[in-house]
Amino acid sequence: MAKPTIKELLTTAPQEQTVEVLGWVRNRRGSKQVAFITVNDGSTIHNIQVVVDLNQISEEQLKEVHTGASVRVLGKLVPSQGSGQAVEVQAQEVEVLGPADPEKYPLQPKKHSLEFVRENAHLRARTATFGAVFRVRHHVSYAIHKFFHEEGFFYVHSPIITASDAEGAGAMFRVTTLDLKNPPLTQEGEVNFKEDFFERPTNLTVSGQLEAELMALGLGRVYTFGPTFRAENSNTTRHLAEFWMIEPEAAFYDIHDNMDLAERFVKYVIRHVLEHCADDLAFLEKRLLDEEKSKKESERSPMPLIEKLNFVVENAFERLSYTEAIELLLQSKPQKKNQFQFPVSWGIDLQAEHERYLVEKHFKKPVILTDYPKEIKAFYMKQNDDGKTVRAMDVLFPGIGEIIGGSQREEDYDKLKRRMEEVGISTEEMWWYLDTRRFGSVPHSGFGLGLERFVQFITGMGNIRDVIPFPRTPGNAEF
Ligand code: ATP
Ligand code: MN
């Protein structure tokens, strides 16, 4: 039989049966007669309480029981005397597996700043906050696979190393085995990538979309779920250099099917987390309330975390065009009072402040914007008849801004080729992409969701570095 986790022990009927508790000490308190040790093993936000009668187990045997030490306890599972938990363990044996010197262990039981804990990312899985965040992240990932599987989408694996730099989604990391001190040169004195591993320049992928399109135009409905890399030097609370993206792509889907899919998808995953992570969400909600106590009223979240998640699940997302959004922004109070830092006019790329106004002030719910000016969107998006806009869609969320970016794709060979030439993308190098429009082309659509931004929204964590185990950002690749 599998060893029971603390999560399981906490819901087992107490009948004085002998149980084994394995975990890390969160805290220890007590008196001369009795010691109370709280132990956590990561399976749940809740700790199990171990009660040690000091007449039976000597203080000497407990001398290494400090916060952070790992322990094995044998004892009887009994109804708890104290409030707050149903069961506790009356210790018969306490064994310290790995001590943690209280003078040196960094994560003592007191309030630490998130920055401090981040610097100790190798140990932060042992804290209540990060335990909750990473359990939620697991459930989000699981629900994503479950959703697509149930909708008939196949999970495809797009390559991590790519030679195409056409996506233009962001700056890229070069992948090379050339000797950087002494690279082979061409006659013109440039680095000669013909002598590199792949005989051409290669990079870490910024998106799996183009490959997902190739697969969708045969398998029908597919999605990728993998790491993507952007060498963008933006030190924000919403950008990572390495993040996980989910990119569904569906043949015969138009932009409306695509918006419906995105909305169903987001709601399904949030509903799953509400159902399966109630205790972690309750903890995270309280954490957020505590954190926001020191903030000005106007900067606090308008709703507690769980209410916000239910609100998203229960309400239809607002859908409007980019052009309508610009009109709203031009009529808005901050515009009239000159409060926007970036000026508003048709054609601009919306800034976070504009998106936040629409989502948080005007509509007060998630918004899907469509039909953006073609100049600010990628070459592969389907061109509208007006000659100015493309069938793009961005899903904007409160507190986060853009969480999903997607579009219906241009399926017309001539239009796509012309657009590539206009923006200077090599149609020769992208022959394989154009081929899908030469043979059996069909309307198709897809989008990309950044996993970490989604987990931020669900957990209420303000900094994207706190929802991925080992964040990669400019100047940071420790652990
Ligand atoms: P932004 O304008 O916020 O930088 P983007 O337009 O570059 O986003 P897309 O290229 O459309 O984003 O990528 C799809 C999704 O991937 C975004 O909606 C977002 O959720 C996520 N994403 C993009 N860049 C990052 C990043 N650097 N770190 C984490 N998530 C990201
Ligand atoms: Mn970006």
Side-chain angles (χ1 to χ4, degrees):
M1 212 184 75
K3 290 184 176 168
T5 59
I6 287 176
K7 182 180 178 183
E8 287 163 327
L9 289 177
L10 288 174
T11 51
T12 301
Q15 292 162 336
E16 304 204 358
Q17 66 273 48
T18 299
V19 295
E20 183 183 41
V21 177
L22 295 160
W24 293 269
V25 175
R26 277 286 164 82
N27 205 351
R28 178 188 165 175
R29 58 190 177 81
S31 63
K32 283 218 156 63
Q33 275 80 43
V34 52
F36 298 101
I37 306 167
T38 48
V39 180
N40 189 284
D41 67 352
S43 61
T44 161
I45 189 75
H46 302 296
N47 305 323
I48 199 161
Q49 173 154 282
V50 174
V51 183
V52 186
D53 181 345
L54 293 174
N55 297 316
Q56 282 175 27
I57 295 178
S58 73
E59 187 60 59
E60 174 63 18
Q61 284 169 278
L62 297 187
K63 71 176 191 301
E64 288 190 313
V65 175
H66 297 293
T67 297
S70 52
V71 289
R72 174 179 169 272
V73 176
L74 270 188
K76 280 187 190 161
L77 195 68
V78 297
S80 177
Q81 309 298 307
S83 61
Q85 66 263 329
V87 300
E88 62 190 25
V89 173
Q90 273 172 2
Q92 293 160 324
E93 264 178 64
V94 178
E95 181 189 350
V96 172
L97 302 173
D101 185 343
E103 301 292 314
K104 293 183 182 139
Y105 182 63
L107 301 177
Q108 291 303 317
K110 60 167 192 147
K111 241 193 151 29
H112 293 294
S113 72
L114 289 171
E115 288 76 17
F116 175 81
V117 181
R118 208 178 295 140
E119 284 161 19
N120 289 282
H122 58 306
L123 298 171
R124 69 179 174 170
R126 301 191 193 174
T127 66
T129 297
F130 289 93
V133 167
F134 295 125
R135 279 188 297 273
V136 169
R137 186 178 163 117
H138 160 79
H139 283 276
V140 168
S141 305
Y142 176 71
I144 288 169
H145 286 299
K146 196 159 176 275
F147 171 82
F148 284 119
H149 176 75
E150 286 168 11
E151 293 243 348
F153 282 66
F154 300 113
Y155 179 27
V156 298
H157 300 96
S158 46
I160 306 273
I161 300 174
T162 62
S164 67
D165 60 355
E167 232 273 332
M172 292 188 289
F173 290 100
R174 172 61 42 85
V175 174
T176 181
T177 55
L178 291 179
D179 179 359
L180 293 181
K181 275 203 209 115
N182 187 23
L185 299 179
T186 61
Q187 285 184 337
E188 290 78 37
E190 310 272 328
V191 174
N192 186 3
F193 286 104
K194 284 245 154 47
E195 292 191 29
D196 204 349
F197 189 90
F198 296 105
E199 300 178 10
R200 57 165 74 191
T202 51
N203 302 287
L204 294 178
T205 187
V206 293
S207 156
Q209 180 202 316
L210 300 186
E211 289 89 356
E213 277 187 63
L214 311 182
M215 297 299 281
L217 295 173
L219 279 169
R221 297 177 192 176
V222 302
Y223 69 105
T224 70
F225 187 163
T228 48
F229 307 86
R230 297 191 184 177
E232 44 199 10
N233 203 355
S234 45
N235 254 311
T236 77
T237 55
R238 306 176 308 125
H239 287 92
L240 291 164
E242 176 180 302
F243 66 99
W244 287 67
M245 189 138 67
I246 296 94
E247 295 179 279
E249 192 70 38
F252 311 108
Y253 266 41
D254 67 16
I255 185 102
H256 302 288
D257 302 319
N258 205 25
M259 284 193 277
D260 292 344
L261 178 74
E263 187 165 341
R264 267 202 315 282
F265 167 56
V266 164
K267 288 178 171 176
Y268 179 99
V269 175
I270 295 178
R271 213 177 286 123
H272 179 95
V273 175
L274 281 165
E275 244 169 64
H276 293 90
C277 308
D279 292 357
D280 284 322
L281 288 179
F283 172 86
L284 290 164
E285 171 168 291
K286 193 171 165 299
R287 188 208 71 84
L288 186 61
L289 281 174
D290 286 347
E291 181 184 273
E292 291 192 337
K293 268 185 196 145
S294 58
K295 286 191 178 171
K296 275 187 288 179
E297 182 86 43
S298 62
E299 284 166 21
R300 290 183 205 159
S301 311
M303 283 180 206
L305 187 63
I306 295 169
E307 191 182 329
K308 177 187 83 174
L309 297 178
N310 278 309
F311 180 85
V312 169
V313 166
E314 284 158 15
N315 288 281
F317 294 2
E318 192 70 34
R319 299 182 186 191
L320 70 159
S321 71
Y322 168 92
T323 302
E324 289 165 326
I326 290 290
E327 271 155 26
L328 276 176
L329 287 167
L330 286 172
Q331 300 305 320
S332 71
K333 236 194 225 158
Q335 168 73 10
K336 290 183 173 153
K337 289 190 174 168
N338 244 328
Q339 286 164 338
F340 285 134
Q341 194 190 337
F342 297 89
V344 178
S345 66
W346 198 94
I348 62 157
D349 206 353
L350 294 180
Q351 300 292 324
E353 57 175 352
H354 307 134
E355 297 179 344
R356 295 190 68 157
Y357 169 81
L358 292 170
V359 173
E360 290 162 27
K361 295 272 155 13
H362 191 84
F363 292 112
K364 299 193 165 69
K365 56 175 162 167
V367 170
I368 310 183
L369 288 186
T370 58
D371 302 292
Y372 283 72
K374 65 177 183 201
E375 278 75 23
I376 59 170
K377 289 291 181 188
F379 72 94
Y380 50 71
M381 297 190 179
K382 186 173 173 61
Q383 297 159 34
N384 283 320
D385 292 338
D386 63 10
K388 295 192 302 191
T389 60
V390 289
R391 305 240 84 181
M393 60 166 233
D394 279 5
V395 181
L396 312 178
F397 261 39
I400 305 284
E402 181 190 329
I403 195 161
I404 285 178
S407 71
Q408 184 169 340
R409 321 303 189 190
E410 184 55 77
E411 83 268 22
D412 183 279
Y413 177 83
D414 294 316
K415 285 188 186 166
L416 181 61
K417 186 156 177 278
R418 213 174 311 123
R419 186 68 189 147
M420 289 170 78
E421 284 159 0
E422 270 170 28
V423 298
I425 287 168
S426 166
T427 51
E428 247 162 69
E429 257 174 52
M430 298 281 287
W431 63 273
W432 43 272
Y433 189 67
L434 278 164
D435 247 17
T436 56
R437 275 66 169 176
R438 284 212 300 157
F439 309 116
S441 187
V442 298
H444 61 286
S445 301
F447 60 81
L449 167 94
L451 176 68
E452 287 76 16
R453 289 203 192 160
F454 196 24
V455 175
Q456 265 190 287
F457 179 77
I458 293 175
T459 58
M461 298 301 285
N463 194 319
I464 198 163
R465 294 166 181 79
D466 295 333
V467 298
I468 187 165
F470 305 104
R472 300 293 181 247
T473 53
N476 267 310
E478 185 84 299
F479 314 111

